[in-house]
Amino acid sequence: LASSMQTLFWSIMLLVFVVFCFGVFFTQSTADYILDKSKIDLSAPDFSEIDQELVAMFGTLPSAMLSLYSAITSGRSWLEYGSLLSHVSTSTMVVFILYVTLCVLGIMNVVTSVFVESAMQSSQYYKDLMLQEKMLSESMSVKHMKGIFNSIDKAGTGYITWKEFEHIFMDESLGLQDYFEALGISATDTLTLFELLDHDSTGEVGIDEFCDGCSRLRGQAKSFDINCMMH
């Protein structure tokens, strides 16, 4: 959100700058046109309706900027403004057409592209962040699993048997069953759990086999139940 707001801010600043620059040009052009016709007094009888509207639209810098903004945002047809400016000079009308072309085909498309790119970068950033969190979570889980394995493998042989597994699980003071539950592994059936971990059915579970098995069984209780049915 912060990145999008920053992009929006600088996009608006760019648009304001362009509108300001062209606004100065059209305001000055309109002032020169009025001065050349010696129509300073707006109430003069010979001040035509078109000239009055021209002064109302481009007589001051704020009104000129508002008119230019309206021309590119469908507030009023740009053809109407172009028709008014054509009374000033043909070159002024050409500059106005260039302004509309620049804003509609140039700046607006650039702003849209910037927003799309910003959104894609934000999306990719959050995907990468989620991936990093998942990898960190898996790394921490493996670390805990190795800790569980080492607590079961009291002899330090590098593998555990069914008797060791059962003996440690029966010792409630160690709380290994709760530890398994905390990792998202249902350990209600100790024998079935050991058989699922003993993937090669040798009666012994090595540390890698133990970690891989626990990773496979991680999740809600239904993961354990499904593996039981498959076993």
Side-chain angles (χ1 to χ4, degrees), residues 38-53:
S38 300
K39 293 183 178 181
I40 305 300
D41 185 4
L42 300 184
S43 61
D46 57 342
F47 195 79
S48 68
E49 184 176 335
I50 292 178
D51 291 337
Q52 292 181 25
E53 187 174 7

Side-chain angles (χ1 to χ4, degrees), residues 148-160:
I148 294 176
F149 182 88
N150 291 329
S151 66
I152 298 175
D153 183 23
K154 296 293 185 180
T157 58
Y159 59 87
I160 55 178

Side-chain angles (χ1 to χ4, degrees), residues 56-67:
M57 295 294 102
F58 297 97
T60 64
L61 181 58
S63 63
M65 291 180 67
L66 180 61
S67 297

Side-chain angles (χ1 to χ4, degrees), residues 3-212:
S3 177
S4 297
M5 291 302 295
Q6 185 177 7
T7 302
L8 176 62
F9 173 77
W10 288 114
S11 299
I12 292 175
M13 289 298 100
L14 173 62
L15 183 61
V16 169
F17 176 74
V18 173
V19 171
F20 173 79
C21 292
F22 279 94
V24 171
F25 172 80
F26 291 122
T27 301
Q28 186 62 49
S29 299
T30 301
D32 293 342
Y33 168 75
I34 296 299
L35 287 173
D36 289 343
K37 294 188 67 173
S38 300
K39 293 183 178 181
I40 305 300
D41 185 4
L42 300 184
S43 61
D46 57 342
F47 195 79
S48 68
E49 184 176 335
I50 292 178
D51 291 337
Q52 292 181 25
E53 187 174 7
L54 181 63
V55 171
M57 295 294 102
F58 297 97
T60 64
L61 181 58
S63 63
M65 291 180 67
L66 180 61
S67 297
L68 292 175
Y69 180 75
S70 176
I72 61 173
T73 56
S74 301
R76 185 174 176 181
S77 174
W78 65 271
L79 285 173
E80 296 181 23
Y81 291 119
S83 177
L84 282 175
L85 292 171
S86 66
H87 291 82
V88 177
S89 67
T90 302
S91 61
T92 303
M93 182 183 68
V94 171
V95 172
F96 177 76
I97 293 175
L98 289 176
Y99 158 77
V100 173
T101 303
L102 173 65
C103 288
V104 174
L105 300 182
I107 295 178
M108 293 302 184
N109 285 336
V110 169
V111 170
T112 301
S113 300
V114 169
F115 268 101
V116 171
E117 183 178 359
S118 177
M120 291 178 66
Q121 289 179 348
S122 297
S123 176
Q124 185 62 43
Y125 169 76
Y126 286 114
K127 286 181 180 178
D128 294 340
L129 186 62
M130 290 177 64
L131 181 60
Q132 290 178 4
E133 290 180 351
K134 182 179 180 181
M135 292 175 63
L136 179 61
S137 176
E138 290 179 351
S139 177
M140 291 298 296
S141 296
V142 170
K143 182 179 179 180
H144 290 310
M145 291 171 192
K146 289 182 178 179
I148 294 176
F149 182 88
N150 291 329
S151 66
I152 298 175
D153 183 23
K154 296 293 185 180
T157 58
Y159 59 87
I160 55 178
T161 63
W162 157 242
K163 289 185 178 181
E164 289 178 316
F165 192 78
E166 182 184 31
H167 174 72
I168 295 297
F169 257 84
M170 292 299 106
D171 189 350
E172 295 183 358
S173 63
L174 296 177
L176 286 182
Q177 185 167 340
D178 294 334
Y179 208 10
F180 268 89
E181 294 287 351
L183 289 175
I185 302 173
S186 177
T188 54
D189 189 338
T190 311
L191 177 58
T192 304
L193 176 59
F194 182 82
E195 291 175 346
L196 290 172
L197 294 175
D198 184 17
H199 196 61
D200 54 6
S201 302
T202 60
E204 297 176 346
V205 178
I207 187 168
D208 292 335
E209 193 175 14
F210 181 83
C211 293
D212 291 342

